[in-house]
Amino acid sequence: MKRLAPMPPAIPLSIKLPLLAAAMMVLVGAVASQQVLRSLARVQDARIQELARMHVEGLSVALGPLVLRHDIWEVYDTLDRAAQGGEGRRMVLTAVADERGRVLAATDPRRVPMDSDIADLASDAVALEDLSVDGSGAVLSLLAPLIYQGRTVGQIATELDVSDLLTERRQALLLLILGNALAIGLLSLAGFVAIRTMLRPVITLARQMTETQGEPHPIPTSEIPRGDGELARLARTYNSMVGAVAAKAEAERRLAERERFVALGRLSSSLAHEINNPLGGLLNATDTIRTFPDRPEVVRQSADLLDRGLRHLRDVTRVTLDQNRIDPEDRVLTPDDFEDLKLLIQPEVSRQGLDLTWSVDLLEENRCPIPAGPVRQIALNLLLNACTASGPSGRVGFFVCCKADALTLEITNTGPEMPKAALDRLFGDGPLSPGGGVGLRLVRELTNGLGGWIGHEQRNSVTRVTVGVPTSREAPNAEE
């Protein structure tokens, strides 16, 4: 048989909710951080674009006539003065080319020689409107047209140092991460404490329901929240339910005691009748012995009668004691148990003049590995109910069959159908209605305890109740 993998332990609700709140805060922090970084990127891009535009426009005004005249020394001198300015420190390299793209001058002539192709410098350059501090490098390359008096007279290539902006962005990201982590940690701790406090009544309720070993206990008044909130009402409702369950259990206990006394009364009445009849014969035998002490054959016959009567009384007494004695758990069912039941039920059968059909297919050498006590209780309760239901001169049947996998008890009786209240006791778990016994409920509980099942059928004015008990205790419960 394939074994299922063990289920992982469930996480308490008092842990789940703070974790969920922390996860939501992490999500909110991540979204907020992303928005902050995007805003910072837009500000930095606008700033670098504005700086580059001012640089290009200023050079265009200053260099336009010089480029037209190809005055290389003046162009170089202008670039050198521009590089000495405050914002010129961000411009690590600037080169100016004519209309053909040939370099006229550059701030670093050794890197960008005169008359070289400006395309070699601006191979990865972008236009002014596409300039962006995207974090791919600390230097941005810009290629812009040199416009003078409305026409393009050359090109300007510039490399801008944005390492300080990238450092600013990294510092902002680090501060956001640290701030979010600190805020999430503090808020998670505060949320854990708050949720734990709010859920304390629920935790108490769960503990009361799971750790009471089948007997619920009320929640102490000191642990019930004040006021009239939902949790306070829940705790009070639970306490009311515990009181109702205790009252129900007490009522069922009293009903069980009353049913026991009723059953004992019925058995006592039948046994008194069964014992009283032989006593008359025994007294006649003693009178005969006193009257004819000199006739050995009469004395012998009377002594035999006394022996049989006394043995019968001994058997009836023994069965009565056995029926009310708690059997040890290791005593299994044998044919003698059913013979005892037959002797025990016989007075009731005789009193009502019933026709009893008795069939037990259980050999001594093939004992059923089932506890004898519960089976005897089940059979006796069902037989007493069958005798009562069949009425005087009715028919009662008792059939037992033990096979390899189960023991089957079948009790039949003539008479009216089993009332709904009796069926509820035999098949239901609800509260017992007043005015009835608990014998059938006891049959149900004993059968469930043995892992068995119960069946009921009414056909041709005959009621048939079948009880099946598996010989293996691992068999599942079932009901029909």
Side-chain angles (χ1 to χ4, degrees):
M1 182 177 181
K2 185 178 180 181
R3 300 183 62 182
L4 298 177
M7 296 293 292
I11 302 177
L13 190 62
S14 57
I15 301 297
K16 284 183 180 179
L17 291 180
L19 288 178
L20 180 60
M24 295 295 294
M25 286 186 287
V26 169
L27 180 60
V28 172
V31 173
S33 299
Q34 186 69 18
Q35 294 298 324
V36 170
L37 291 177
R38 286 182 179 178
S39 299
L40 179 61
R42 286 195 295 268
V43 171
Q44 289 181 342
D45 290 346
R47 177 181 173 185
I48 199 66
Q49 288 177 5
E50 180 66 20
L51 179 62
R53 180 178 296 106
M54 293 174 59
H55 178 69
V56 170
E57 290 178 352
L59 289 180
S60 298
V61 173
L63 297 176
L66 303 178
V67 171
L68 288 176
R69 296 197 306 267
H70 282 72
D71 192 344
I72 298 174
W73 292 109
E74 286 296 332
V75 171
Y76 177 79
D77 185 60
T78 303
L79 290 179
D80 185 61
R81 289 196 305 272
Q84 300 302 322
E87 289 297 338
R89 297 170 184 169
R90 188 177 296 278
M91 310 300 172
V92 296
L93 176 65
T94 303
V96 177
D98 56 14
E99 293 180 342
R100 297 174 301 151
R102 310 308 295 180
V103 174
L104 297 177
T107 55
D108 188 356
R110 286 175 293 184
R111 181 181 170 189
V112 184
M114 186 179 61
D115 204 33
S116 62
D117 192 351
I118 200 172
D120 297 336
L121 175 64
S123 58
D124 55 349
V126 297
L128 181 63
E129 60 272 9
D130 297 329
L131 202 62
S132 175
V133 185
D134 55 4
S136 58
V139 177
L140 300 181
S141 295
L142 169 67
L143 181 62
L146 196 157
I147 300 176
Y148 179 71
Q149 294 183 351
R151 69 188 185 94
T152 301
V153 297
Q155 293 178 311
I156 299 175
T158 299
E159 291 183 352
L160 298 92
D161 183 7
V162 293
S163 57
D164 58 332
L165 300 180
L166 294 177
T167 301
E168 181 183 356
R169 185 176 299 187
R170 284 194 295 268
Q171 290 176 349
L173 177 61
L174 181 60
L175 290 175
L176 286 173
I177 293 175
L178 293 178
N180 286 338
L182 180 61
I184 290 172
L186 294 177
L187 292 176
S188 298
L189 180 60
F192 175 79
V193 174
I195 293 175
R196 185 82 175 182
T197 302
M198 290 188 293
L199 291 180
R200 186 175 299 161
V202 179
I203 297 172
T204 302
L205 176 61
R207 184 178 65 250
Q208 294 295 105
M209 296 179 67
T210 57
E211 298 180 0
T212 53
Q213 299 179 352
E215 183 180 354
H217 297 289
I219 299 175
T221 306
S222 59
E223 298 186 15
I224 298 179
R226 298 179 181 179
D228 193 33
E230 293 84 354
L231 296 179
R233 292 199 299 270
L234 177 63
R236 297 190 186 101
T237 302
Y238 171 77
N239 284 350
S240 300
M241 292 174 60
V242 170
V245 170
K248 173 179 175 292
E250 178 64 19
E252 290 185 352
R253 185 187 63 80
R254 293 179 179 178
L255 286 173
E257 291 180 355
R258 187 181 70 176
E259 179 70 12
R260 181 178 178 85
F261 287 134
V262 170
L264 288 175
R266 291 167 59 186
L267 287 175
S268 299
S269 176
S270 300
L271 289 174
H273 177 77
E274 184 70 12
I275 294 173
N276 187 55
N277 288 335
L279 283 178
L282 296 177
L283 292 174
N284 289 333
T286 57
D287 290 339
T288 301
I289 292 174
R290 290 193 184 99
T291 304
F292 304 100
D294 55 343
R295 298 178 60 179
E297 68 278 2
V298 175
V299 173
R300 189 180 301 107
Q301 291 176 358
S302 299
D304 291 341
L305 179 62
L306 283 171
D307 181 73
R308 290 194 300 273
L310 290 174
R311 289 180 181 276
H312 177 73
L313 293 179
R314 182 198 64 186
D315 293 340
V316 171
T317 304
R318 179 181 61 80
V319 171
T320 304
L321 291 175
D322 288 344
Q323 182 60 34
N324 292 277
R325 184 184 297 121
I326 299 176
D327 291 325
E329 295 182 357
D330 56 350
R331 196 178 79 79
V332 298
L333 194 65
T334 65
D336 292 339
D337 292 301
F338 293 106
E339 292 301 322
D340 292 346
L341 286 174
K342 185 176 182 181
L343 184 60
L344 193 61
I345 202 66
Q346 191 63 45
E348 184 73 9
V349 173
S350 301
R351 186 177 65 83
Q352 298 196 48
L354 302 175
D355 181 11
L356 177 63
T357 302
W358 195 274
S359 175
V360 177
D361 184 10
L362 182 66
L363 301 179
E364 179 68 28
E365 60 272 13
N366 295 326
R367 299 184 180 186
C368 282
I370 301 173
V375 176
R376 288 166 60 110
Q377 289 286 342
I378 292 171
L380 180 62
N381 277 279
L382 291 177
L383 283 170
L384 288 175
N385 278 278
C387 292
T388 302
S390 61
S393 302
R395 296 193 306 276
V396 175
F398 183 71
F399 308 93
V400 179
C401 179
C402 184
K403 296 183 179 180
D405 57 345
L407 171 73
T408 303
L409 307 178
E410 185 177 293
I411 297 90
T412 62
N413 65 270
T414 58
E417 296 183 2
M418 187 178 291
K420 183 179 183 300
L423 290 175
D424 291 340
R425 288 179 170 83
L426 189 60
F427 292 105
D429 292 319
L432 296 176
S433 58
V438 294
L440 293 177
R441 177 59 59 84
L442 180 62
V443 169
R444 170 180 172 79
E445 292 177 355
L446 290 174
T447 303
N448 287 340
L450 294 173
W453 54 272
I454 303 174
H456 167 263
E457 182 184 15
Q458 176 74 27
R459 183 182 298 177
N460 298 329
S461 300
V462 175
T463 301
R464 177 177 286 101
V465 176
T466 306
V467 176
V469 179
T471 55
S472 172
R473 296 302 297 274
E474 296 180 357
N477 295 348
E479 292 183 1
E480 295 182 0

